Amino acid sequence: MRKFAGLLVFGLLLVFVFAGCSKEPTPEDRFAEYIALWKQQKFAKMYDYLSNDAKEKITKEEFTSRYQKIYEDLQITDLKIDFKRPKKDKKEDQEQARYSFNAKMNSIAGTIQFTQKAQLQKEERDNKKNWYVDWNTEYIFPKLQEGDTIGLSTITPKRGEILDRNGSGLAANGQVYEVGVVAGKLAASEIDPLASLLKMTPEQINKALSASWVKPGLFVPLKKVSMEDKDRVAQLIALGPVQTRKVDARIYPYKEAAAQLVGYVGAITADELAKRKDKGYTSQDVIGKRGLEQVLDEELKGESGVKIIIKKKGNFDDVVLAEKPVVDGKDVKLTIDADLQEVIYAELSAEIGGADAANSAGGAPAGTAAAMNPVNGETLALVSSPSFDPNQASLGFSADEWKALQEDARQPLTTRFTQGYAPGSVMKPITAAVGLTSGAVNPEEQVAILGPKWQKDKSWGGYFVTRVHVGTEPVNLEKALVFSDNIYFAQSALKIGKDAFTDGLKKFGFEEKFDFPYPLATSTIGDLGSEIALADSGYGQGQIQMSIVHLLASYTPFVNNGNMIKPILLDTEQRTQVLKEALVSGEQAGLIAADLRKVVADASGTAHRAEMADYPLAGKTGTAEIKQKQGETGTENGWFIAYNTNVPSLMIAMMVEDVEGRGGSQIPVEKVKNIYMKLR
């Protein structure tokens, strides 16, 4: 009896188990599964949940590709779908079920949010019953019905302008000519002359004319041309089928003079877009390619206005699904004086003479120059030469033009005012400041230095420090600066010692990243592991490297009672920020400043050519040798930095490359003097 009872219980359990296994899925469970796939945008699997009626309206391939494309084009993210499960279905044998759901998502045009009702249909497939979504297009977006399409309307923001201190446009919004032809009217004989004038190839023109959208009679744009290029435009129009129209474009009024500073804009590339895909950029954007256009691109760019539209089939009004208003870019005002920038560029890039002028592109030098107000820190000019026309760069260089720029030995694409260079003797006042502060240098001490060369002892082997000015009298700090005595400053560096010298240079900003809007190379000390390296570094050789902006900042203590003033570039920045306080005492700063005045005023001073009546300059020359080791023939860079001692509101530094045999540091001396004379 007990055995029979046990079998009965076991049998009942099996019945319950099989009943549980064979229970049909509920419609809410199926819809929950569908929503889970939707959140993951797994459209192919979603299709398997559609009812037979729904599948008759659209194929799996159409369903998947269409909605993947919509979600990608609209940049749909953070999709959230809330579905409230009912407590209990009203009927056990129902064939249909309806549920409300809330959908919310982010898109390229902002938030899209809606409430919709879904209907599920019970259907039998493969001898099994299950629930399937009676899908329609409005599940994806409200009011999206069969035959409707999704469209994007974009409003391009006005790019912010880059202005100088007086409001003059360094990078401005203007107009250019867009040159094109009327499709079907260009004769074969006109293609070659047209290609030549537009600096295109015939193949490029034919490709543009054979684009899929081109139809006879339509205007086909080929290239943009500056409105200043009047002769070329006249020749183009003379070809007959060529037409021009004015279009908005970025223009650069100061051309080569400010090209490296400002840079230019161009169409965004696929790689650039991939890096910025999360920052609101689109394939239609132009972005900064160089200079401040690139550095400040996000601020200048603004935000595109975007509208997502459901274009209704028939004569019904379109429905706006989401809209983000356009936000124009911000103007950026600099402390730069565009007129001074132009004057300095013209002087720096002017040809120079000399025995080797023929070897340097007709005597036109390569180099860099910068200017600042040493009292309040305003950067007034940042110049690099040779340069290029940013207007042409923005409109598009031809392949030959771009190749010529890249292969030019003088490297016109290099932004020299950001680079580090061996400073040569313009380093000596900094060494003097470090020596005075540490107590290793006594300005009154007369150092006996005989002959044109010196070495500490025989352990230096064949290495000597050499000097240009050879005298028989002992040398003090004043004479060492006036005559630019390498041996005096080599000995001073050795007296200071490696650790104190390194510490002193770091206080002057070496090995420290400059907080400056335009990224600058960090000025470096290099290896001071040997006495020779330390001695050479004392007069600006060795492995010392400085940017020209850092050089200007390093001289500000001599006009500010020992305080280094922070260089600024943006007009919104605070003036007269003390970057380094009390690098030298006020007395020591005055002492060095007086000596720098004598470098120009003294008839024996290395910068005496810059002396002008009623316009007293103080400054320092420098010649940096660029070679692998002593005894080799290398190149020389010439330096000069100067300011007016009466009104120290303008300090100019200039470096000219390859000055050996052409005048040395006297080249920048003459050029800087010419700049001051033009500004008087």
Side-chain angles (χ1 to χ4, degrees), residues 99-358:
Y99 302 111
S100 291
F101 65 89
N102 297 313
K104 185 178 181 181
M105 63 199 78
N106 290 330
S107 75
I108 191 174
T111 301
I112 300 175
Q113 188 171 1
F114 59 90
T115 299
Q116 187 60 277
K117 286 186 177 181
Q119 180 168 301
L120 279 76
Q121 182 76 34
K122 184 185 285 187
E123 295 179 357
E124 185 175 332
R125 297 182 188 175
D126 299 326
N127 298 319
K128 292 182 181 179
K129 287 188 176 182
N130 211 331
W131 290 91
Y132 296 91
V133 179
D134 197 11
W135 172 90
N136 67 66
T137 53
E138 293 192 57
Y139 287 12
I140 300 296
F141 293 123
K143 299 184 180 179
L144 177 63
Q145 298 173 338
E146 290 294 339
D148 295 346
T149 57
I150 298 285
L152 274 177
S153 173
T154 304
I155 303 174
T156 303
K158 177 183 175 185
R159 190 173 179 85
E161 296 187 325
I162 301 176
L163 309 171
D164 88 331
R165 63 188 299 109
N166 300 310
S168 298
L170 293 167
N173 297 318
Q175 290 188 318
V176 296
Y177 285 121
E178 186 171 58
V179 180
V181 297
V182 177
K185 293 188 176 182
L186 183 67
S189 60
E190 294 173 313
I191 293 179
D192 285 343
L194 177 59
S196 177
L197 285 169
L198 290 179
K199 299 179 182 179
M200 299 173 68
T201 64
E203 290 75 20
Q204 289 172 320
I205 292 177
N206 287 325
K207 183 178 179 181
L209 291 172
S210 61
S212 59
W213 63 270
V214 175
K215 295 180 181 179
L218 289 180
F219 175 82
V220 181
L222 295 175
K223 199 164 188 180
K224 293 175 182 176
V225 177
S226 170
M227 296 185 74
E228 294 183 2
D229 203 348
K230 295 179 181 179
D231 289 342
R232 183 154 67 119
V233 171
Q235 293 178 61
L236 285 163
I237 294 175
L239 288 177
V242 173
Q243 295 182 358
T244 63
R245 60 186 181 188
K246 294 179 181 179
V247 295
D248 294 335
R250 198 69 158 175
I251 59 172
Y252 303 95
Y254 290 87
K255 299 181 180 179
E256 289 86 353
Q260 305 290 3
L261 170 63
V262 178
Y264 60 91
V265 297
I268 193 169
T269 65
D271 288 342
E272 290 167 337
L273 180 59
K275 294 176 183 177
R276 295 165 176 81
K277 62 181 179 180
D278 298 326
K279 296 184 178 181
Y281 285 78
T282 71
S283 59
Q284 305 302 314
D285 285 333
V286 297
I287 65 168
K289 297 290 186 176
R290 296 175 64 90
L292 290 175
E293 289 275 37
Q294 183 180 50
V295 174
L296 304 175
D297 188 71
E298 290 185 29
E299 186 174 352
L300 295 166
K301 173 185 173 292
E303 297 179 19
S304 298
V306 185
K307 188 184 293 185
I308 301 174
I309 302 169
I310 297 177
K311 297 182 178 180
K312 305 298 291 182
K313 183 180 180 181
N315 296 321
F316 297 99
D317 293 337
D318 293 342
V319 176
V320 177
L321 195 59
E323 183 174 6
K324 184 177 74 173
V326 65
V327 179
D328 289 334
K330 297 178 181 178
D331 291 345
V332 176
K333 191 175 184 181
L334 308 178
T335 59
I336 294 291
D337 185 322
D339 292 335
L340 176 62
Q341 177 90 11
E342 203 165 36
V343 169
I344 292 178
Y345 176 77
E347 186 60 43
L348 174 61
S349 59
E351 291 190 359
I352 56 177
D356 295 331

Side-chain angles (χ1 to χ4, degrees), residues 454-465:
W454 171 85
Q455 61 178 193
K456 181 184 176 184
D457 52 42
K458 298 298 182 182
S459 67
W460 285 20
Y463 191 85
F464 291 85
V465 176

Side-chain angles (χ1 to χ4, degrees), residues 430 434 496 499-510 583:
I430 301 172
V434 174
I496 296 168
D499 292 341
F501 187 66
T502 299
D503 183 62
L505 293 188
K506 287 183 176 180
K507 288 179 180 178
F508 265 87
F510 283 84
L583 289 179

Side-chain angles (χ1 to χ4, degrees), residues 256-257 260 345 348 367-369 382-387 414-417:
E256 289 86 353
Q260 305 290 3
Y345 176 77
L348 174 61
T368 183
L382 291 170
V383 178
S384 183
S385 177
S387 187
T414 298
T415 305
R416 286 173 165 82
F417 57 77

Side-chain angles (χ1 to χ4, degrees), residues 619-641:
K620 185 70 190 77
T621 58
T623 304
E625 295 180 278
I626 315 298
K627 57 186 179 182
Q628 295 299 314
K629 60 183 179 180
Q630 195 173 50
E632 288 186 350
T633 300
T635 60
E636 292 181 354
N637 294 339
W639 290 86
F640 185 48
I641 179 170

Side-chain angles (χ1 to χ4, degrees), residues 1-9:
M1 185 69 179
R2 290 179 180 176
K3 183 177 180 182
F4 174 77
L7 290 172
L8 178 62
V9 171

